[in-house]
């Protein structure tokens, strides 16, 4: 930190000490002020932010020890340095116990003072960086907001609050697009593991071999194309949370491997012989009927009970219709801001159309519809003509029969990447998006180089 970025407040009832220190710090470029008593110092601290306070231990009225306690009540991160005579060193030591950074004896030696201020500035720098880092981490930990005031969603959030205080395995159930990953992240962000990562993987997006490599990682040369050692999701989730989406789609072998890891908290990378210990919480999600899968033999009953210690069933949008306007406005605000458009709300007719629609794709479909409406909107309000429902609002089409816009986008991007043989610049040009946007979507959909020559459509 540069001297001009540091504010030093000098508190001493001796004018000669105040004046000499003021001139000394001012000459070095510090922002500096003085106070001749404790009450004046506290007033200065209320008015302006100070980084370091030099305070005399013996002053009329409020002494330095009491003043330091009052300073720490205002801001515990202010660095305090006590000035004292040799005869009062014992009192100064008491000040150290109460939180002073250091003390210096009078008469003050300029070299000692220079060393002390350098150390205090470094201390203040570390405090500032620590505060900024904590704020940054807290921002990263904030999950996307769970929006809604219906009794159905309030009940879900009560369950989230309850289970987040435990380390139990959670199964999140619900139709596609109801926000299962959002709920998983809400549980993680409220849990004691929140300062460690939550690692998500869509089990349904991988073949058995790819999923095994994704989860367990692999050693160099363990299979063709394994050029480097690679950590799997299990290792990445150590101390944090592993979110297994579409867990009902994993193969019988993977079910057995996963059950073993859950029971032992140990595994080995593919091609490796070293046993790796892991500590993670599992949250699963599926829209598959696992009880039925157990009966027909496609899902292990013992794994089901290990994963389903606590279950949360998410309501569909149709079951929380009163939340639709709130969620739609939430997305409208996000997209209007990101697109820098002056769209502020829905017209009454548009709002009625949104609320009356059944949203078989649930929140994902609603979000896509709002995004499109914001794109085409010409004025401050979204009109009915700006809305494009992917399926007729007649209820004739049952949930699951129509692909979501996100799935259509995923397949189209993969198709273009295959056509361009993985050429990012060319694919981005064809898609009409920037390369950065394309990279973000490749990461979002979990495309791997191995995927690019496969026909998924």
């Amino acid at each position: 930190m540069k001297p001009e970025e540091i504010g030093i407040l000098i508190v001493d009832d001796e004018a000669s000490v105040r004046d000499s220190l003021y001139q000394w710090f001012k000459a070095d470029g510090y922002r500096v002020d003085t106070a001749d008593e404790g009450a004046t110092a506290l007033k200065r601290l209320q008015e302006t932010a100070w980084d370091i306070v030099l305070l005399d231990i013996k002053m009329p009225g409020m002494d330095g020890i009491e003043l330091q306690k009052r300073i720490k009540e205002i801001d515990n991160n202010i660095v305090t340095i006590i000035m004292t005579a040799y005869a009062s060193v014992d009192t100064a030591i008491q000040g150290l116990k109460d939180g002073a950074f250091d003390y210096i004896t009078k008469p003050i030696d300029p070299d000692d003072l220079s060393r002390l201020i350098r150390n205090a500035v470094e201390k203040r720098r570390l405090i500032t960086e620590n505060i900024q880092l904590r704020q940054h981490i807290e921002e990263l930990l904030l999950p996307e907001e769970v929006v809604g005031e219906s009794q159905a969603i309030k009940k879900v959030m009560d369950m989230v609050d309850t289970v987040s205080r435990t380390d139990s395995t959670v199964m999140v159930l619900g139709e596609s697009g109801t926000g299962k990953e959002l709920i998983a992240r809400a549980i993680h962000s409220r849990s004691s593991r929140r300062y460690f990562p939550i690692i998500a993987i869509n089990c349904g997006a991988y073949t058995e071999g790819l999923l095994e490599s994704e989860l367990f990682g692999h050693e160099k040369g363990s299979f063709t194309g394994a050029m480097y050692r690679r950590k799997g999701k299990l290792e990445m989730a150590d101390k944090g949370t592993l979110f297994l989406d579409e867990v009902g789609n994993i193969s019988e072998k993977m079910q057995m491997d996963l059950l073993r890891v859950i029971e032992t908290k140990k595994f080995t990378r593919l091609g490796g012989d070293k046993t790796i210990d892991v500590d993670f919480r599992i949250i699963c999600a599926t829209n598959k009927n696992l009880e039925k899968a157990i009966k027909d033999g496609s899902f292990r009953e013992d794994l089901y009970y290990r994963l389903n210690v606590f279950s949360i069933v998410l309501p569909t949008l149709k079951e929380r219709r009163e939340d639709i306007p709130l969620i739609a406005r939430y997305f409208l605000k996000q997209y209007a801001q990101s697109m820098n458009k002056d769209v502020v709300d829905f017209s009454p007719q548009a709002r009625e159309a949104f609320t009356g629609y059944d949203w078989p794709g649930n929140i994902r479909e609603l979000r896509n519809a709002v995004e499109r409406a914001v794109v085409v909107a010409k004025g401050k309000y979204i009109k009915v003509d700006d809305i494009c429902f992917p399926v007729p609002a007649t209820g004739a089409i049952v949930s699951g029969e129509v692909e979501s816009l996100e799935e259509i986008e995923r397949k189209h991007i993969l198709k273009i990447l295959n056509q361009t043989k993985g050429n990012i610049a060319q694919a981005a040009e064809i898609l009409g998006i920037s390369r950065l946007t394309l990279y973000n979507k490749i990461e979002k959909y979990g495309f791997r180089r191995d995927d690019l020559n496969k026909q998924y459509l």
Side-chain angles (χ1 to χ4, degrees), residues 21 23 31 55 98 142 271 304 341 350 366 373 388-389 397-398 407 411 425 428 442 457:
L21 288 176
Q23 296 300 329
R31 177 170 58 87
L55 52 92
D98 290 342
L142 284 175
Y304 171 76
K341 296 194 69 172
L366 173 62
C388 178
F389 295 111
I397 296 178
V398 180
E407 179 61 16
K411 287 185 175 181
I442 288 172
L457 305 179

Side-chain angles (χ1 to χ4, degrees), residues 239-254:
K239 305 285 191 302
T241 300
L242 180 66
F243 174 57
L244 300 173
D245 197 7
E246 302 300 346
V247 72
N249 294 343
I250 63 176
S251 68
E252 186 176 345
K253 179 181 181 305
M254 282 303 303

Side-chain angles (χ1 to χ4, degrees), residues 217-285:
H218 59 73
E219 297 289 343
K220 179 181 177 182
S222 56
F223 55 83
T224 303
M227 304 294 290
Y228 306 97
R229 172 189 287 177
R230 183 168 181 268
K231 282 187 176 181
K233 304 291 188 187
L234 294 175
E235 282 183 85
M236 295 179 190
D238 191 33
K239 305 285 191 302
T241 300
L242 180 66
F243 174 57
L244 300 173
D245 197 7
E246 302 300 346
V247 72
N249 294 343
I250 63 176
S251 68
E252 186 176 345
K253 179 181 181 305
M254 282 303 303
Q255 291 177 37
M256 188 168 60
D257 291 344
L258 184 59
L259 180 62
R260 188 178 301 117
V261 172
I262 293 172
E263 290 181 338
T264 64
K265 295 291 176 75
K266 299 177 187 293
F267 73 98
T268 57
R269 298 191 192 105
L270 300 184
D273 53 12
K274 179 185 175 184
T275 300
I276 299 172
D277 295 315
V278 284
D279 171 29
F280 55 80
R281 178 190 203 166
I282 287 185
I283 301 177
C284 297

Side-chain angles (χ1 to χ4, degrees), residues 351-363:
R351 191 178 306 118
E352 185 177 348
F354 266 87
T355 308
Y357 184 61
D358 281 347
W359 301 107
N362 290 293
I363 297 172

